[in-house]
Amino acid sequence: MESPQKLIPGYANAKATRRYAEHYIAEGKAAEGHYSDFSRAKMRLSSLGIGTFGGAATAEVDAAISAIVARGLTEGINVVDTGAHYRYGRSLAAVGAGVRTALEAGVPREAMFLISKGGFLTLRGGPPDDMDAWFQREIESQGMGTRDDLAKGAHLLTPEYIHYQMELSRSLMGVETLDAFIIDQPEVHIHEIGKEATNRRLEPVFEVLERAAREKKIRAYGISTFEGFREETDAAVFQSLTSMQGLAERAAQTVTGDDHARHHFKIGMLPFNQVMLEGFTRFNTATGQGNVASPLQAAHQLEVYMFASHSMLKGHLAQQSVEVVEQQLATLPNPAQRAMQFNRSTPGLGTSLVGMSTPEHLDDMLAVMREPLLEKKAYLGMFKKAEEE
């Protein structure tokens, strides 16, 4: 898989991300609380990050995403999230172009935290006319999986395919090292084969990612869930951070032959917003420390950095706010800014990702990053008020 350009070396580190944060705070472009601590790595990451899922698969949207990424990185947003299947793989290259523009503007690679994902089929060039023929040609004949490995006809959890998507991400983004590679929604397999069988599929995938971390192709990995982290403990689809770390420990031991090897499962992602609150309010995760915690509390205890997806609830929260949020954040000019401020003020939540393919939407993000976070008492007061009503 040849890249047309030499891959950009480097990866996010503590010194560069801290210097980046200090610069934008000193310039008055970011409030002190805008940068979250990725404690395990001693890095500082922006509380809001750029997502690149949406938008048509066109050159115009490619250019728009590149411009958003470049401007965000040069104005205080140092987290960019994409995926191997986003816009049929086009978002990878669009992010890469934005990263190169930011580098030329003086932003060091070591200050950027770049994420890609795998699992859902990439379908480069768009959906094929004959899906069966495509799958046989592109997947089966390449030894990357069989029809029996597929879930929902669109998700593949084999070590070979995840390795392919990781390498595709590095190549098209043009970077030697991804700061994180995330398995996207592995729980879709639970619906079809159950949790135990899904975890048996995940462990060799984690082995691939442990090897990649040791080869410095990635720095960390994790999973992104839609239902998994948010459900009740006894739900069939529930996935706990604790059990994922257990799989990662075994994977690290298998790869290294060392019973004390440290794993690289350091990232979690779940939907979180004013409507989907379970990450903060549902106590479902036993952390092995004698207590049951919410997913966000558990992440803190287990030293997993947690990202929020669906910060805008597919655009709905850019149009309207929940009443108590509208009242508490009345000084902000629109629902989009209120949605971002609500999320970034949530205790335990590291970075809230906001997908955008319209450059003007970045203005709202840059405005919110100048706002101090809500004080914890005011944040918790919204929940109390909502209960009373």
Side-chain angles (χ1 to χ4, degrees):
M1 193 182 303
E2 292 295 317
S3 178
Q5 311 177 68
K6 187 174 182 296
L7 298 181
I8 300 160
Y11 45 81
N13 67 36
K15 187 176 179 182
T17 57
R18 297 185 97 76
R19 187 181 294 149
Y20 180 93
E22 287 160 8
H23 169 76
Y24 288 100
I25 291 166
E27 293 268 308
K29 291 183 176 180
E32 182 66 47
H34 172 58
Y35 295 95
S36 300
D37 289 316
F38 187 164
S39 59
R40 186 115 171 239
K42 297 185 169 58
M43 291 190 286
R44 300 205 74 195
L45 306 184
S46 51
S47 61
L48 298 168
I50 293 165
T52 60
F53 176 77
T58 63
E60 291 77 15
V61 175
D62 292 344
I65 288 174
S66 298
I68 289 166
V69 168
R71 185 180 169 210
L73 288 168
T74 55
E75 298 206 23
I77 303 293
N78 69 340
V79 177
V80 182
D81 172 83
T82 191
H85 72 289
Y86 285 9
R87 301 175 54 255
Y88 309 116
R90 296 180 71 121
S91 286
L92 295 171
V95 167
V99 164
R100 286 183 182 276
T101 301
L103 282 169
E104 289 164 8
V107 181
R109 167 66 184 95
E110 294 76 15
M112 309 173 186
F113 196 88
L114 306 177
I115 305 164
S116 188
K117 302 188 195 72
F120 288 101
L121 297 176
T122 298
L123 303 180
R124 292 187 73 184
D129 294 331
D130 185 337
M131 187 67 184
D132 286 336
W134 178 91
F135 189 83
Q136 206 291 318
R137 183 179 68 250
E138 299 291 334
I139 307 296
E140 284 189 309
S141 69
Q142 306 297 320
M144 291 194 289
T146 68
R147 277 273 169 200
D148 290 341
D149 296 320
L150 268 181
K152 283 192 174 176
H155 198 284
L156 199 54
L157 209 51
T158 65
E160 296 83 5
Y161 194 63
I162 294 302
H163 181 265
Y164 161 77
Q165 289 192 308
M166 178 192 72
E167 293 291 10
L168 182 70
S169 298
R170 293 174 59 237
S171 174
L172 293 182
M173 289 169 74
V175 295
E176 280 186 4
T177 307
L178 296 166
D179 297 293
F181 190 81
I182 295 173
I183 305 303
D184 198 7
Q185 295 181 48
E187 76 257 35
V188 299
H189 290 258
I190 296 176
H191 291 289
E192 298 190 9
I193 61 172
K195 191 183 298 185
E196 196 176 323
T198 297
N199 285 348
R200 282 201 299 272
R201 284 184 179 178
L202 267 176
E203 193 170 332
V205 165
F206 283 5
E207 289 171 17
V208 164
L209 298 177
E210 287 292 343
R211 284 191 194 93
R214 282 162 176 79
E215 294 165 0
K216 291 200 166 49
K217 292 180 175 180
I218 65 173
R219 294 291 287 163
Y221 66 94
I223 69 169
S224 172
T225 70
F226 186 75
E227 304 166 284
F229 290 149
R230 299 187 299 123
E231 290 288 345
E232 297 283 6
T233 311
D234 58 359
V237 79
F238 173 67
Q239 288 172 296
S240 79
L241 282 168
T242 319
S243 66
M244 291 298 105
Q245 285 198 325
L247 289 179
E249 281 174 12
R250 285 212 301 273
Q253 290 163 5
T254 299
V255 166
T256 62
D258 177 1
D259 288 344
H260 304 289
R262 293 190 69 174
H263 65 79
H264 292 78
F265 187 103
K266 302 176 186 177
I267 305 288
M269 190 179 290
L270 83 174
F272 187 83
N273 54 55
Q274 300 155 54
V275 179
M276 303 169 83
L277 296 163
E278 297 89 349
F280 187 68
T281 61
R282 177 163 284 161
F283 288 72
N284 60 3
T285 309
T287 61
Q289 300 180 21
N291 71 328
V292 176
S294 70
L296 293 182
Q297 285 176 325
H300 177 72
Q301 291 171 19
L302 298 168
E303 294 188 301
V304 171
Y305 189 87
M306 194 65 92
F307 290 86
S309 61
H310 297 78
S311 301
M312 291 291 173
L313 194 62
K314 296 189 173 174
H316 294 296
L317 295 173
Q319 308 301 322
Q320 58 183 343
S321 305
V322 170
E323 187 177 356
V324 69
V325 172
E326 188 166 1
Q327 291 167 357
Q328 179 66 49
L329 301 176
T331 56
L332 294 177
N334 61 48
Q337 290 193 26
R338 289 193 282 272
M340 287 187 258
Q341 177 67 339
F342 175 84
N343 265 36
R344 72 197 277 268
S345 299
T346 304
L349 187 53
T351 299
S352 291
L353 300 169
V354 182
M356 57 182 84
S357 55
T358 303
E360 293 75 28
H361 290 170
L362 185 60
D363 294 337
D364 283 322
M365 185 178 281
L366 298 176
V368 173
M369 65 183 259
R370 292 192 288 269
E371 294 284 327
L373 301 184
L374 271 180
E375 290 183 7
K376 192 172 182 180
K377 186 177 177 183
Y379 181 86
L380 295 176
M382 287 190 284
F383 289 82
K384 190 165 186 291
K385 194 168 180 185
E387 281 174 13
E388 289 168 354
E389 292 173 357

